[in-house]
């Protein structure tokens, strides 16, 4: 599934990934503070080889929309909306990150709002959800500001860095 029209987001845009995004993807993704809030499949350190693999996967994926959050000159984050199948086919799972240098500027909130609107109006989804670590207060705030509501709390839901962390489920429905 491909997003054909870039979405404008606070002076940036959500657009499809390009191979020339490798350098800035590596630069911003190679950050331990980002990795601490991600699944273990997101590597740290994040190398140019990891960037190449990710971009190739994003460009060939058929299970959702993999988008770069980009200025005119560089990528500063990533947003993925994986469309579910079977009885969950009207739902999407949202995941995202923004380069640490851009935290606190409302970019995640704007990107979440833009992809939600697109998913509901253009893709026909009725539910979008995200699972975030309870320690990731910035992400929780971005979801809440975007109209997502807390639906669940998973005590010791994930294991990261040698410890159990609670996980919170947020969703937005139309």
């Amino acid at each position: 599934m491909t997003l054909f029209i870039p979405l404008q987001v606070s002076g940036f845009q959500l657009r499809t990934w390009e191979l020339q995004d490798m350098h800035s993807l590596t630069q911003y993704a190679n950050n331990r503070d980002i990795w601490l809030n991600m699944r273990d499949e997101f590597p740290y350190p994040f190398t140019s080889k990891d960037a190449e693999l990710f971009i190739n996967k994003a460009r060939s994926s058929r299970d959702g929309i993999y988008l770069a959050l980009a200025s005119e000159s560089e990528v500063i984050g990533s947003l993925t909306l994986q469309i579910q199948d079977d009885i969950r086919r009207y739902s999407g799972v949202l995941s995202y990150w923004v380069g640490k240098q851009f935290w606190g500027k409302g970019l995640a909130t704007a990107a979440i709002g833009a992809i939600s609107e697109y998913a509901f109006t253009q893709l026909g989804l009725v539910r979008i959800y995200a699972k975030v670590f309870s320690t990731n207060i910035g992400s929780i705030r971005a979801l809440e500001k975007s109209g997502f509501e807390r639906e669940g709390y998973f005590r010791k839901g994930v294991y990261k860095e040698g410890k159990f962390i609670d996980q919170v489920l947020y969703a937005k429905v139309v």
Side-chain angles (χ1 to χ4, degrees):
M1 182 172 300
T2 304
L3 181 69
F4 295 104
I5 301 171
L7 301 174
Q8 297 304 311
V9 178
S10 297
F12 290 82
Q13 63 176 233
L14 287 170
R15 61 161 174 79
T16 54
W17 286 94
E18 301 169 4
L19 288 176
Q20 58 263 33
D21 295 329
M22 282 179 45
H23 176 72
S24 58
L25 172 58
T26 304
Q27 174 187 348
Y28 291 112
N30 188 32
N31 185 295
R32 188 171 188 280
D33 290 335
I34 290 172
W35 174 80
L36 284 171
N37 291 302
M38 303 288 285
R39 297 171 57 132
D40 284 343
E41 68 185 20
F42 186 90
Y44 180 78
F46 194 97
T47 66
S48 58
K49 183 66 175 167
D50 296 318
E52 180 181 14
L53 290 170
F54 176 81
I55 291 170
N56 285 332
K57 177 185 176 184
R59 291 171 57 84
S60 64
S61 176
R62 299 290 176 245
D63 68 345
I65 301 172
Y66 293 73
L67 301 172
L69 178 59
S71 68
E72 289 184 20
S73 61
E74 66 179 351
V75 166
I76 61 144
S78 175
L79 186 143
T80 301
L81 183 64
Q82 291 182 301
I83 310 302
Q84 303 301 280
D85 62 3
D86 197 25
I87 60 173
R88 293 184 183 93
R89 64 187 167 271
Y90 292 101
S91 295
V93 179
L94 179 66
S95 58
Y96 52 89
W97 62 267
V98 175
K100 187 172 181 178
Q101 297 85 328
F102 302 93
W103 289 2
K105 299 182 186 311
L107 291 175
T109 302
I112 292 166
I115 196 62
S116 298
E117 177 69 19
Y118 180 85
F120 293 140
T121 62
Q122 302 300 311
L123 302 179
L125 296 186
V126 297
R127 175 183 175 79
I128 300 171
Y129 64 96
K131 293 180 182 176
V132 297
F133 299 173
S134 63
T135 53
N136 191 346
I137 303 305
S139 190
I140 288 171
R141 285 185 185 140
L143 288 165
E144 290 175 345
K145 287 178 184 177
S146 300
F148 281 65
E149 296 180 13
R150 182 173 136 172
E151 289 190 339
Y153 196 88
F154 303 91
R155 293 179 298 148
K156 296 185 178 181
V158 296
Y159 186 77
K160 182 82 174 185
E161 277 285 273
K163 62 184 175 193
F164 289 98
I165 302 170
D166 296 346
Q167 194 174 37
V168 188
L169 171 66
Y170 276 87
K172 186 173 186 175
V173 297
V174 291

